[in-house]
């Protein structure tokens, strides 16, 4: 479970780097949405992973 949390975190960081850099307005908006979605998924999987220990 912790591996999934780390994978979602890396995806969120990559989405933020591509979208927040100002490449395109549309890409930035999509990347911001994906960033927040993946951060939430990261936190949920992190909590579940820690709870299973």
């Amino acid at each position: 479970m912790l591996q999934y949390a780390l994978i979602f975190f890396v995806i969120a960081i990559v989405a933020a780097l591509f979208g927040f850099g100002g490449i395109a307005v549309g890409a930035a908006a999509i990347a911001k949405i994906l960033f927040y979605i993946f951060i939430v998924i990261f936190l949920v999987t992190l909590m579940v992973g820690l709870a299973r220990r």
Side-chain angles (χ1 to χ4, degrees):
M1 261 311 175
L2 192 55
Q3 291 175 339
Y4 290 129
L6 292 174
I7 289 170
F8 286 126
F9 182 69
V10 170
I11 291 172
I13 296 299
V14 170
L17 289 175
F18 282 123
F20 299 167
I23 296 171
V25 176
I30 292 170
K32 284 182 184 179
I33 293 169
L34 289 175
F35 177 75
Y36 292 121
I37 289 171
F38 287 131
I39 288 295
V40 169
I41 293 171
F42 166 73
L43 292 174
V44 168
T45 55
L46 181 67
M47 293 299 179
V48 170
L50 291 175
R52 287 192 175 190
R53 285 188 174 186

